[in-house]
Amino acid sequence: MRETSQLPAPGSGAFVFTAQEIRELDADLARRDLLELTMEHAGARVAEVIHARFPTGPVLALAGGGANGGDTFVAARHLHALGREVYVLAQGTRHELAGRMRRRLEGLCPIELLTEERLCAGLSKTRVVLDGLLGTGFVPPLREELTQWIRRINEAGKTVVSLDLPTGLPSDTAGDGSDAERVRADLTLALVGFKPGLLFSEVGEVQVLDLGVPPALLERHAHASCITPEEVRALLPRRVRGAHKGTAGRVYVLGGRPGYTGAPSLTAYGALRAGSGLVALYSRAELPRHPVESMAHRIEDWNALTALPRPDAVALGMGLGEDSVPVARRVLSWKVPVVLDADALQSELRGAGHDAVVWTPHPGEAARLLGIGTGDITRDPFAAARALQLAYGGTVVLKGGPSVIATPGALRVCLAGNPGMATGGSGDVLSGVIAALLGAGLSAPEAAIAGVYLHAAAGDRAYARLGYGLIASDIAHEVAPAWHVLHQASSEIL
Ligand SMILES: NC(=O)C1=CN([C@@H]2O[C@H](COP(=O)(O)OP(=O)(O)OC[C@H]3O[C@@H](n4cnc5c(N)ncnc54)[C@H](O)[C@@H]3O)[C@@H](O)[C@H]2O)[C@H](O)CC1
Ligand SMILES: [K+]
């Protein structure tokens, strides 16, 4: 689970790149004669941030044989120019670029070949370690000498700043949970954008450095992009002066069964707090704690649904149990926007969906839908979300820390939210929020993006008040102020 204090700023509309996409971006930059400039910029920015964050003491810069090491040479030169004492240990290399970089340092700060002995001596004398051994070019498994060096770095207890990626962390997938073989960084300065490994592993603080790469190139090569508060604000439905409850979205919540009555009630709270004009619950069970602002109906037979007027959106599956698949089939045939959650996330519904469906699995449900293990989902949530979207259609929200959204055209990730939200009923609230937005007229991708963000922002508000003791109904109630702040705020405040 990610620690709240380690979350990157949710305001950053950063992109995410895999190692392959970085190679393609680099090739594009090289064609435009911009690659060397970009590396120069990277090193200068890294030096600037290190100097600002850790302004005193010697810096030990560890440079690998690839471009990650090349960036480190540039950073060392800029740190030296800022008056810092810098000691560079470089991996033996024939890399032409790294060789040139090294010549540029000669006479400025000491450079030696990296050996274990020199590493230990250097670590004992330093305050800050700049880890520039491996970046996106790392191909597991680690070579033995690297494993030993990483161990030494981690044991030294110094402040460690990793350049682009903590050495040993795979770029494109979540780390395996053990950090024995990767640098434990206090801060990672990610170049150009996040790498998936940084989003889905325990990596400490991450800061993305903008290297002045033209946004059009970033967009062309990116794997995914982070949801921004600005775009969510623009998506939020506005009520007209003559609005009444019937125009603000009528949402049906279909869920619950005897013994499982809390889930649909939380969905109803989520929908109401996200602005639904009317929320009606239908369940086989009595729902003793449904919001008084909603209408709860106990029904004996789901055939009774046929006689009901069509709502603007439906949230379906929360606590519904084995009736979920036939009920979902019936509701999907109405062709109104639907959120399919919890018990409705079944592989029998493959092919039964339509464009206005939002599927909201957590990793366990996603694994069930794809017929693979949960570990395969959490290893690469982007790939899992995309695979689900291709198999099931509509829009997929793969819940997690962070949540990932696959729309027909894009992969998105939400950096807001916190581990306190890992509490029973949190997902039920989310399906209500998304259903409310669908009911207000947003498309499935829009409702998923805005809903996931609003829910996460509400969770952050609840966490600020209550810490890890927050419960799902707190998230539901914080949706309203989260929305209100977003609605009112100017883009400067965001
Ligand atoms: N557009 C950008 O974001 C830019 C990023 N840059 C930096 O370039 C690196 C990636 O550089 P690359 O040369 O492709 O790879 P690395 O430096 O990460 O590593 C290559 C180096 O590592 C050795 N190696 C690979 N696998 C292993 C292993 N299992 N064990 C030990 N050693 C291994 C390999 O032999 C090579 O020597 C990116 O992270 C950014 O830092 C550029 O500056 C351009 C702009
Ligand atoms: K690194």
Side-chain angles (χ1 to χ4, degrees):
M1 262 195 311
R2 302 169 69 83
E3 281 299 320
T4 308
S5 60
Q6 296 173 348
L7 287 172
S12 63
F15 290 101
V16 185
F17 299 88
T18 61
Q20 176 60 27
E21 286 154 354
I22 286 292
R23 279 191 288 276
E24 288 162 9
L25 172 63
D26 284 356
D28 204 337
L29 289 169
R31 272 197 300 278
R32 295 161 198 270
D33 216 6
L34 287 173
L35 186 57
E36 204 167 319
L37 267 179
T38 306
M39 292 183 78
E40 182 61 27
H41 206 60
R45 289 285 291 123
V46 166
E48 204 177 282
V49 174
I50 291 178
H51 192 49
R53 294 279 299 265
F54 314 105
T56 57
V59 180
L60 173 65
L62 305 173
N68 198 249
D71 293 342
T72 305
F73 285 121
V74 181
R77 178 160 48 78
H78 283 277
L79 280 164
H80 173 79
L82 289 164
R84 298 296 289 267
E85 188 186 328
V86 189
Y87 175 40
V88 183
L89 287 176
Q91 236 182 315
T93 174
R94 292 180 300 279
H95 198 291
E96 192 263 335
L97 191 60
R100 244 163 63 210
M101 292 292 179
R102 192 186 304 193
R103 275 200 301 283
R104 289 177 186 175
L105 267 182
E106 266 165 17
L108 300 176
C109 41
I111 314 171
E112 288 180 284
L113 272 187
L114 175 53
T115 62
E116 191 172 347
E117 203 184 347
R118 289 196 186 111
L119 176 63
C120 292
L123 284 168
S124 71
K125 285 183 279 192
T126 199
R127 155 108 207 275
V128 179
V129 180
L130 173 56
D131 155 34
L133 291 171
L134 291 173
T136 51
F138 166 49
V139 182
L142 272 175
R143 282 203 294 271
E144 179 51 32
E145 56 181 5
L146 257 297
T147 311
Q148 193 55 18
W149 294 341
I150 290 171
R151 202 168 292 143
R152 293 292 181 209
I153 296 166
N154 289 342
E155 282 166 3
K158 304 291 178 176
T159 299
V160 179
V161 179
S162 284
L163 202 154
D164 207 23
L165 281 167
T167 289
L169 184 81
S171 158
D172 298 351
T173 56
D176 63 6
S178 82
D179 54 7
E181 292 200 343
R182 64 168 131 118
V183 167
R184 281 197 299 271
D186 298 284
L187 171 65
T188 298
L189 299 175
L191 304 183
V192 174
F194 291 100
K195 314 298 169 311
L198 291 172
L199 294 171
F200 304 118
S201 319
E202 295 297 323
V203 289
E205 187 186 351
V206 180
Q207 191 178 330
V208 172
L209 299 185
D210 171 5
L211 303 186
V213 174
L217 295 193
L218 297 180
E219 216 160 301
R220 180 177 313 160
H221 295 285
H223 196 59
S225 62
C226 303
I227 299 172
T228 67
E230 290 84 353
E231 70 172 311
V232 175
R233 188 161 63 106
L235 288 174
L236 291 181
R238 302 279 192 271
R239 284 193 189 170
V240 294
R241 199 194 285 261
H244 58 83
K245 63 190 177 193
T247 59
R250 290 165 305 130
V251 168
Y252 287 178
V253 175
L254 310 187
R257 65 186 188 282
Y260 296 83
T261 57
S265 298
L266 285 165
T267 304
Y269 274 114
L272 285 163
R273 289 300 191 191
S276 280
L278 284 169
V279 175
L281 292 118
Y282 294 90
S283 181
R284 297 285 299 277
E286 287 289 347
L287 301 178
R289 294 192 54 222
H290 71 90
V292 293
E293 297 84 351
S294 62
M295 292 153 296
H297 307 276
R298 194 171 81 82
I299 52 174
E300 290 296 336
D301 181 351
W302 288 110
N303 284 322
L305 288 179
T306 320
L308 299 176
R310 298 289 184 263
D312 297 309
V314 178
L316 191 162
M318 303 71 51
L320 186 55
E322 60 189 20
D323 290 344
S324 292
V325 170
V327 173
R329 283 194 195 283
R330 186 187 297 267
V331 170
L332 287 167
S333 74
W334 294 350
K335 302 291 179 208
V336 301
V338 181
V339 181
L340 290 179
D341 188 30
D343 300 333
L345 295 165
Q346 303 295 344
S347 54
E348 293 99 302
L349 292 177
R350 194 168 174 157
H354 52 74
D355 290 349
V357 176
V358 179
W359 309 77
T360 57
H362 58 54
E365 290 156 348
R368 182 172 75 204
L369 287 170
L370 288 174
I372 57 178
T374 308
D376 296 324
I377 303 290
T378 52
R379 221 177 71 81
D380 189 348
F382 284 125
R386 174 53 69 221
L388 281 165
Q389 198 281 328
L390 287 172
Y392 288 84
T395 290
V396 172
V397 172
L398 177 55
K399 295 180 284 194
S403 292
V404 165
I405 297 168
T407 72
L411 286 169
R412 309 298 310 274
V413 58
C414 177
L415 298 186
N418 65 82
M421 298 170 74
T423 180
S426 174
D428 302 321
V429 173
L430 175 65
S431 44
V433 173
I434 296 175
L437 295 169
L438 288 170
L442 270 63
S443 68
E446 290 170 342
I449 289 165
V452 165
Y453 181 85
L454 263 182
H455 179 255
D460 285 343
R461 295 178 65 93
Y463 181 82
R465 259 190 327 116
L466 303 161
Y468 289 146
L470 74 87
I471 55 175
S473 52
D474 298 319
I475 303 174
H477 296 307
E478 290 289 353
V479 167
W483 175 307
H484 194 53
V485 165
L486 208 51
H487 191 72
Q488 289 190 320
S490 73
S491 49
E492 287 79 43
I493 297 170
L494 293 171

